[in-house]
Amino acid sequence: MKSNDKCDNAPKITRRDFVKVSSMVAALPLVGFKFSHAAGKSSVTPSPLATPVVSVVPTCSTFDCGGKCDIRAHVQDGAVIQITTLPDAELDPAMPVMRACVRGRSYRKFVYHPDRLKYPMKRVGKRGEGKFVRISWDEATTLIADNLQRITDKYGPASRYVHVGTAVSGGTFSGDTMARRLLNLTGGHLSYYHSVSMGNTAAATPYTYGVAASGNSLDTLTDTPLVILWGHNPTETIFGHTNHYFQQMKQNGTRFIVVDPRYSDTASSLADEWIPLRPSTDNALMDAMMYVIITENLHDKTFIERYTLGFDESSMPEGVPANESLVAYLTGAKDGVKKTPEWAEVITHVPAQTIRQLARDYAMTKPAALIQGWGPQRHNCGERTARGSTLLATITGNVGIKGGWAGGYGGIGNRKFTTGPEMPDNPVKQKISVMNWVQAADDASQVRPQDGLTGGEKLDSNIRMLFSLAGNYLANQNPDIHQAVKVLEDESKIEFIVASDLYLTPSARYVDLLLPETSFMERWNIGETWGTGNYLMLSEKLIEPPFESRSDYDWLREVAAKLGIEQEFSQGRTEKEWIAHIWENTRRAMPDEKLPTFEELQVTRRHLFKSAPFVAFEDNIRDPKNHPFQTPSGKIEIFSRRLYDMHHPEIPALSHYVPAHEGPEDPLAKEYPLQLITWKGKNRASSTQYTNPWLQEVQTQKLWINPADAERRGIVQGDSVRIHNNRGVTQIPAEVTQRIMPGVVAMQAGAWWQPDASGVDYGGCANVLSSARITALAKGNSHQTMLVEVVKA
């Protein structure tokens, strides 16, 4: 998309800044540099062949990635001319900092791109047409302040909503956070709960363990003889720390089994065995594994007797009818169906003997780690799948021990974060699931407690004003794009939408005011890991923002001034002063960690938390009397009375197999016989960096289809194919490959939606096909569960 498509009345734009940088790169010899480190920055002593002076600054992005890449920005004359990464000499085996992946090494092309937004712009056409005119920043902030006042006076503060914006969620300081601060200072806003990434797991695992975090630090797996990666794909999602440890373990003899419908790059690089299964049937495979383990007497009886509730009839809570225990369910005492491998083979398409061997391998290898990724829980059966892995870990005694894993990967429990900016109390107490925002904008009366509303029986208002800051969720990542766009296009619903971004994304086309944001290289922040790393890294302002780009905090401060609360909002701090303030607050909150001062951080650049190896629930297992589990019984609850009392067929107390909506057993499969899944690719973080031409060369958007399914449809390699269901159509080339199992097709997530006049998408955006159905327990996303048909275009 050309930059002149973005603004009808914009004058011809000079690209001098971009051309200057390009000419620097072309003219600069990138050889003969000698690196030395002083004051936290690497200086470059030029060789006789290279005369320019270049500063090499260790920094990191603040994107929603698995870790904070250590990238080395080579800065010359106010421009970043090259990016390298952490040198081998600086690697710390005790805590490997994430080295830049292909995305990290391409950041310069992302920052210096001619299609970057340059000026504030106001919509002049219909929402979705992408027609804007250039306005001044004073006009822009006046529009925001006036609409905030008008909409609040008319509908109340609950009509204001700040959407999720993941392109900045890897940092401690972000525009969406400060927008919420501004709204809370002026009466509050409708807020949301739930993580699109792993909210179903976070909601489900406490019913087993009492808390959500159930992962260990990876240094506890050094001597683990067996790791089962269940829908976990770190090689492509680029969790650098994970790959560091897994590759070491592989070299030391650890056996890896990958359970996944797709032969991912993780399976290619690590797996001794690949076990493909049909999406949404994970619990059937887990049930059959538990049947084998128990009937072959391979379960850990001592562990089960001491630490658990609900394994057999003798360990059930009072008042529950007979035959509700795990053993009773598996042996068919209630329904007459034994959950044998042969039973599961029909459902999962995993051969019965493979299931038997997998169960035996897991139960007889001590210890063993079954690590589940976040993909399997993004189904409408995802809560059951997450809890199912906790039951397997429990009956084999792999909970709370070094080398084991408690299942239900809900995060690593020993990571450290900054305190973040202070947030005033939000007077609006109602909260919606992040999945409810379309309904809350369309008809607030349809969002009830049974639909995900908390903090009240009803919403006080529809969403009338919406901020989307550094996010592409509105009309790209949102499940069922067509449903969302229908609401966005209706200007009688949401009356004013503000977005800030670096590019005219599909979501940005549906806003009323579009603001040019700064990149991470043009502002101050602190990078926080959310993968398996445990460190904080300074993300320093390296260059000045191009054209009229401003950070969200900068213009929010101007809006606050026009509302008469600038001092209260900003506390008189610049962006850098906020970062220094947050860092000093964090130092005081962690006195034992001995964090450097902010001045020292600007020298050291990062702080590693060299904590002892962490094993989830180790204290609970070592000393259950003084450290009971945080469940009602104080034990690991294989059977959850809390779930049982919900009397919901999709929330079984044992988290066993229940056929999923739009799963392979749904009658809809007769019309749409293929299950579509998506994966997170190595060339972008969700949809971020989609337009980066370097990364488009890394991986192109194609539909993976098995040769058997392709032949049945007359499809050959490279054919353009139409993937469709009753929600939408997308058309992209076919990749005919044995790397996807029969009956399943796959495409990379995060492609930008590119519809033609008839609504057919040519970008390969899976969200035109996905569903907005929410999960039963968490009220979370289930967009991975979708049935489709594929035809040759």
Side-chain angles (χ1 to χ4, degrees):
M1 191 173 296
K2 302 298 183 184
S3 58
N4 60 9
D5 291 335
K6 298 174 184 171
C7 179
D8 287 356
N9 296 343
K12 186 176 181 180
I13 304 304
T14 175
R15 293 167 63 178
R16 181 174 58 185
D17 291 346
F18 296 101
V19 172
K20 182 180 79 169
V21 174
S22 299
S23 63
M24 285 180 184
V25 176
L28 182 65
L30 297 180
V31 294
F33 290 162
K34 296 180 180 178
F35 293 84
S36 62
H37 300 277
K41 299 183 180 181
S42 302
S43 63
V44 178
T45 304
S47 75
L49 298 177
T51 56
V53 176
V54 180
S55 295
V56 182
V57 187
T59 186
C60 71
S61 84
T62 51
F63 291 142
D64 185 35
C65 294
K68 296 303 102 192
C69 286
D70 182 303
I71 64 172
R72 304 297 164 103
H74 298 234
V75 184
Q76 177 196 325
D77 292 338
V80 176
I81 62 168
Q82 184 187 14
I83 286 177
T84 56
T85 190
L86 184 71
D88 290 344
E90 294 185 34
L91 288 174
D92 184 347
M95 175 48 67
V97 175
M98 186 171 180
R99 304 184 77 185
C101 63
V102 65
R103 295 195 298 256
R105 294 171 188 266
S106 299
Y107 285 149
R108 191 169 60 86
K109 194 66 173 178
F110 179 73
V111 172
Y112 293 115
H113 194 297
D115 285 354
R116 270 191 66 172
L117 298 176
K118 300 170 178 64
Y119 310 104
M121 295 187 289
K122 181 176 67 174
R123 176 176 62 85
V124 292
K126 294 180 180 179
R127 284 185 186 159
E129 287 185 333
K131 294 181 179 179
F132 298 90
V133 295
R134 177 182 175 182
I135 60 175
S136 69
W137 270 109
D138 181 62
E139 290 175 281
T141 54
T142 298
L143 276 170
I144 297 170
D146 289 350
N147 277 282
L148 264 174
Q149 194 66 59
R150 175 185 65 82
I151 289 171
T152 305
D153 290 344
K154 186 174 182 180
Y155 301 107
S159 65
R160 312 183 304 185
Y161 185 70
V162 183
H163 209 296
V164 60
T166 62
V168 289
S169 58
T172 186
F173 191 73
S174 61
D176 59 336
T177 298
M178 296 308 284
R180 293 183 181 96
R181 176 180 170 85
L182 177 67
L183 295 181
N184 285 353
L185 290 171
T186 56
H189 67 287
L190 177 64
S191 58
Y192 66 83
Y193 64 90
H194 199 7
S195 162
V196 175
S197 293
M198 42 72 68
N200 293 325
T201 290
T205 49
Y207 288 94
T208 302
Y209 298 126
V211 295
S214 57
N216 305 344
S217 58
L218 292 179
D219 53 4
T220 64
L221 300 180
T222 305
D223 300 318
T224 299
L226 175 65
V227 171
I228 300 173
L229 300 178
W230 199 297
H232 190 31
N233 183 24
T235 299
E236 289 180 87
T237 47
I238 319 295
F239 296 176
H241 327 87
T242 305
N243 285 325
H244 170 87
Y245 284 111
F246 283 180
Q247 291 297 337
Q248 280 190 339
M249 293 160 58
K250 181 74 174 175
Q251 293 171 14
N252 292 337
T254 297
R255 182 170 178 239
F256 283 86
I257 300 174
V258 172
V259 180
D260 198 310
R262 189 177 73 95
Y263 190 73
S264 65
D265 285 4
T266 296
S268 176
S269 64
L270 289 173
D272 296 278
E273 182 179 5
W274 170 47
I275 301 177
L277 85 166
R278 297 162 92 183
S280 78
T281 67
D282 306 71
N283 280 103
L285 178 56
M286 293 172 177
D287 290 348
M289 288 174 65
M290 288 189 282
Y291 177 88
V292 172
I293 290 168
I294 291 170
T295 58
E296 296 188 5
N297 205 29
L298 302 176
H299 53 295
D300 191 325
K301 302 179 187 63
T302 303
F303 185 95
I304 292 169
E305 183 177 348
R306 185 177 188 188
Y307 299 109
T308 73
L309 177 80
F311 175 73
D312 57 21
E313 296 300 298
S314 67
S315 62
M316 291 291 288
E318 293 184 5
V320 177
N323 296 327
E324 295 290 345
S325 68
L326 179 63
V327 171
Y329 164 73
L330 295 174
T331 56
K334 183 176 182 179
D335 61 7
V337 178
K338 294 182 178 180
K339 310 311 181 293
T340 65
E342 287 74 19
W343 164 82
E345 178 177 352
V346 175
I347 299 168
T348 65
H349 286 189
V350 179
Q353 188 52 40
T354 300
I355 298 174
R356 282 193 175 85
Q357 193 59 51
L358 177 63
R360 292 165 182 165
D361 286 346
Y362 181 54
M364 297 174 69
T365 307
K366 302 292 185 180
L370 192 161
I371 305 175
Q372 190 178 102
W374 293 348
Q377 58 91 58
R378 293 175 185 145
H379 287 268
N380 58 49
C381 58
E383 301 143 343
R384 300 191 292 275
T385 301
R387 269 204 85 221
S389 66
T390 70
L391 304 192
L392 272 168
T394 295
I395 68 169
T396 56
N398 278 303
V399 178
I401 62 169
K402 183 180 179 182
W405 198 272
Y409 179 50
I412 309 300
N414 68 331
R415 287 177 298 135
K416 306 293 195 303
F417 298 95
T418 67
T419 56
E422 293 90 346
M423 184 62 66
D425 289 340
N426 184 0
V428 177
K429 300 308 176 186
Q430 295 98 324
K431 288 186 177 182
I432 60 173
S433 163
V434 71
M435 293 296 295
N436 294 143
W437 79 269
V438 174
Q439 289 70 35
D442 186 27
D443 182 358
S445 68
Q446 297 302 307
V447 183
R448 302 155 295 179
Q450 60 265 40
D451 305 304
L453 178 66
T454 65
E457 293 300 311
K458 65 181 182 67
L459 289 175
D460 295 333
S461 170
N462 284 16
I463 294 173
R464 297 290 182 176
M465 184 171 187
L466 187 149
F467 290 88
S468 177
L469 309 183
N472 190 20
Y473 199 93
L474 298 183
N476 203 83
Q477 300 305 96
N478 193 82
D480 198 341
I481 287 176
H482 294 295
Q483 177 196 34
V485 163
K486 182 179 179 181
V487 174
L488 290 171
E489 288 176 337
D490 187 344
E491 296 177 38
S492 71
K493 303 290 185 181
I494 310 176
E495 296 183 10
F496 194 64
I497 305 174
V498 181
S500 67
D501 212 308
L502 269 67
Y503 296 92
L504 183 64
T505 65
S507 294
R509 301 176 71 88
Y510 287 85
V511 307
D512 303 298
L513 187 62
L514 182 55
L515 307 176
E517 169 65 305
T518 52
S519 75
F520 71 91
M521 292 184 181
E522 299 150 5
R523 57 177 179 256
W524 286 87
N525 215 326
I526 297 169
E528 300 179 318
T529 62
W530 59 258
T532 52
N534 196 5
Y535 59 89
L536 300 171
M537 183 177 292
L538 183 65
S539 183
E540 180 179 336
K541 181 179 179 181
L542 302 172
I543 54 177
E544 291 300 319
F547 298 94
E548 292 186 14
S549 299
R550 291 173 68 179
S551 72
D552 288 331
Y553 174 65
D554 193 33
W555 60 259
L556 281 165
R557 193 173 181 181
E558 190 172 308
V559 172
K562 291 179 177 180
L563 294 172
I565 59 165
E566 194 280 330
Q567 183 60 33
E568 192 176 1
F569 170 73
S570 73
Q571 299 292 304
R573 298 188 185 102
T574 64
E575 183 177 77
K576 182 179 179 181
E577 288 168 343
W578 267 106
I579 300 305
H581 170 73
I582 291 168
W583 185 262
E584 292 304 320
N585 280 351
T586 304
R587 287 184 69 232
R588 286 191 288 271
M590 301 181 189
D592 296 337
E593 293 293 345
K594 297 184 173 24
L595 271 67
T597 65
F598 185 67
E599 290 72 23
E600 292 168 339
L601 179 66
Q602 293 175 72
V603 175
T604 62
R605 314 300 301 174
R606 63 175 180 256
H607 179 77
L608 305 179
F609 296 100
K610 294 190 177 182
S611 52
F614 174 80
V615 176
F617 311 120
E618 187 174 34
D619 289 341
N620 308 88
I621 298 304
R622 176 183 52 81
D623 185 5
K625 182 178 180 181
N626 293 311
H627 298 278
F629 285 87
Q630 296 178 43
T631 56
S633 65
K635 294 187 173 185
I636 300 173
E637 297 196 348
I638 295 173
F639 175 94
S640 171
R641 180 64 184 262
R642 289 175 292 170
L643 296 182
Y644 179 81
D645 289 341
M646 293 180 187
H647 303 292
H648 195 300
E650 294 180 40
I651 313 175
L654 293 168
S655 286
H656 56 68
Y657 176 68
V658 177
H661 302 283
E662 290 201 43
E665 296 184 55
D666 192 315
L668 190 63
K670 293 179 181 178
E671 184 176 359
Y672 302 112
L674 297 171
Q675 291 181 271
L676 172 63
I677 60 171
T678 64
W679 78 89
K680 300 283 188 179
K682 52 181 168 280
N683 62 336
R684 55 181 180 260
S686 295
S687 73
T688 304
Q689 295 217 64
Y690 174 79
T691 57
N692 190 324
W694 290 351
L695 294 179
Q696 287 179 344
E697 292 179 16
V698 171
Q699 190 164 293
T700 58
Q701 195 73 2
K702 295 181 179 180
L703 180 80
W704 283 25
I705 184 169
N706 185 273
D709 294 320
E711 183 179 7
R712 194 172 297 120
R713 292 163 175 80
I715 295 168
V716 299
Q717 176 70 18
D719 276 350
S720 182
V721 294
R722 291 169 67 93
I723 310 103
H724 66 96
N725 59 18
N726 56 7
R727 287 182 289 270
V729 183
T730 186
Q731 184 168 322
I732 54 175
E735 177 74 18
V736 181
T737 175
Q738 294 280 4
R739 293 180 64 179
I740 190 75
M741 69 181 294
V744 183
V745 291
M747 66 173 73
Q748 185 185 345
W752 281 15
W753 179 42
Q754 299 173 35
D756 66 8
S758 63
V760 175
D761 168 53
Y762 286 86
C765 181
N767 295 59
V768 302
L769 302 161
S770 60
S771 167
R773 177 187 288 273
I774 59 174
T775 58
L777 178 64
K779 314 305 179 188
N781 50 307
S782 63
H783 63 276
Q784 285 278 14
T785 315
M786 47 187 156
L787 290 171
V788 301
E789 179 58 288
V790 176
V791 298
K792 187 174 179 178

